[in-house]
Amino acid sequence: MAGVSKDPTLELEREWFDAGAQLVIGIDEVGRGAIAGPVAVGVHAVRAGTESFPEGLRDSKLISQKKREAIAAGIDGFGPGAVGFSTALEIDEHGITAMLGAAARRALLALHESGIDVTGAVILLDGSHDWLTPALRAPLDVRTRVGADRDCASVSAASVRAKVARDALMLEAHGAHPHYAWASNKGYGAQAHYDGIAAHGLTELHRTSWIKR
C-alpha cells in the first residue's frame, strides 16, 4: 500500500487494477465545517491503464487557488468527474453526515449519466467513515482510506474538483451578500463572517442550526 505523503501517486489505484478493477472513483468533500453555503463532494474516475496525472496535483488544501484552477482546467484529461452539492437548508434539516452522502450520490449519478458505469467501480472515499453507503439505493464497492486525499491521485483530483466548484459558488454568493466576507472565508467561521452576522443577521445560505449567537 502507498504510504501517506504530500504528493499523491497511483499506487493504490494500480493495486486494484492489477486485481481486476477497470475503474477507480475517488471521492472527497469540501465545506463540511463551513457555517454558510453548501457542502460539495467531488468524484473523479480513473480508468485501468492510466499512468499519469496532472503535474502539481495535490489535496486541494495544500495548493494555491491559482494552481487549483489551473489543474481543474485540464483535469478531464486525467479522467471524468463531477461535483454534487447539498444545501445549507438540507444540512439543517437532515444533518451533515446524511447530506455528505446525498451530495456524493448526486455526483455519482451525474457521472453515470455522462456515460461512466459507476456500478462496477472501486469507490475510494477519503477518511475512516463510510458516509456514502447509507445514501445509496444500490450497493457499490466502497473502500475508505485515511489520508487518501493526500496520497491517492484519484481522491486528490476529486478534492480539487469540489474545492474549485464550491469556491466559485461562494464567490458568486459574496456578490449578493458582501457583508460576510465570503470572497475570502468561503463560508467558514472567520471573524469577519461572524461580524457580518452580528451586524446583518443570517441569510438563506447560512446553516442556522450551526450558529450560536
Side-chain angles (χ1 to χ4, degrees):
M1 294 284 182
V4 174
S5 70
K6 289 185 177 181
D7 297 310
T9 72
L10 286 167
E11 290 181 25
L12 185 59
E13 290 88 341
R14 287 193 190 108
E15 289 185 16
W16 286 322
F17 295 146
D18 290 344
Q22 294 300 304
L23 193 71
V24 173
I25 299 175
I27 297 185
D28 198 19
E29 58 78 21
V30 172
R32 181 200 294 252
I35 61 172
V39 67
V41 176
V43 301
H44 184 90
V46 178
R47 297 180 175 92
T50 300
E51 296 295 333
S52 63
F53 50 86
E55 183 178 357
L57 177 65
R58 282 185 169 188
D59 171 18
S60 65
K61 297 184 292 294
L62 301 178
I63 52 180
S64 68
Q65 178 181 341
K66 183 177 181 181
K67 180 167 284 190
R68 281 195 304 268
E69 291 175 352
I71 290 171
I75 208 167
D76 284 340
F78 172 41
V83 179
F85 298 93
S86 290
T87 67
L89 179 60
E90 289 176 319
I91 293 167
D92 278 333
E93 289 184 348
H94 303 291
I96 186 62
T97 302
M99 289 303 98
L100 284 169
R105 180 177 177 274
R106 290 163 184 167
L108 287 169
L109 280 173
L111 189 62
H112 193 72
E113 289 168 0
S114 74
I116 306 301
D117 183 7
V118 307
T119 59
V122 173
I123 311 292
L124 178 55
L125 188 63
D126 179 54
S128 60
H129 177 215
D130 177 7
W131 39 257
L132 172 58
T133 295
L136 299 174
R137 295 179 184 175
L140 295 174
D141 183 6
V142 179
R143 319 283 183 95
T144 61
R145 180 180 175 87
V146 174
D149 54 352
R150 294 189 301 271
D151 65 2
C152 299
S154 61
V155 183
S156 295
S159 173
V160 168
R161 285 184 182 276
K163 177 65 172 168
V164 170
R166 187 181 184 278
D167 280 2
L169 286 180
M170 295 311 296
L171 285 170
E172 182 179 351
H174 174 83
H177 303 285
H179 307 298
Y180 306 97
W182 289 338
S184 59
N185 64 56
K186 305 303 188 295
Y188 286 85
Q191 186 60 52
H193 191 172
Y194 280 113
D195 290 345
I197 291 171
H200 301 279
L202 301 179
T203 72
E204 72 282 0
L205 293 176
H206 281 101
R207 304 176 190 177
T208 57
S209 63
W210 291 38
I211 299 169
K212 297 179 180 180
R213 293 189 292 170

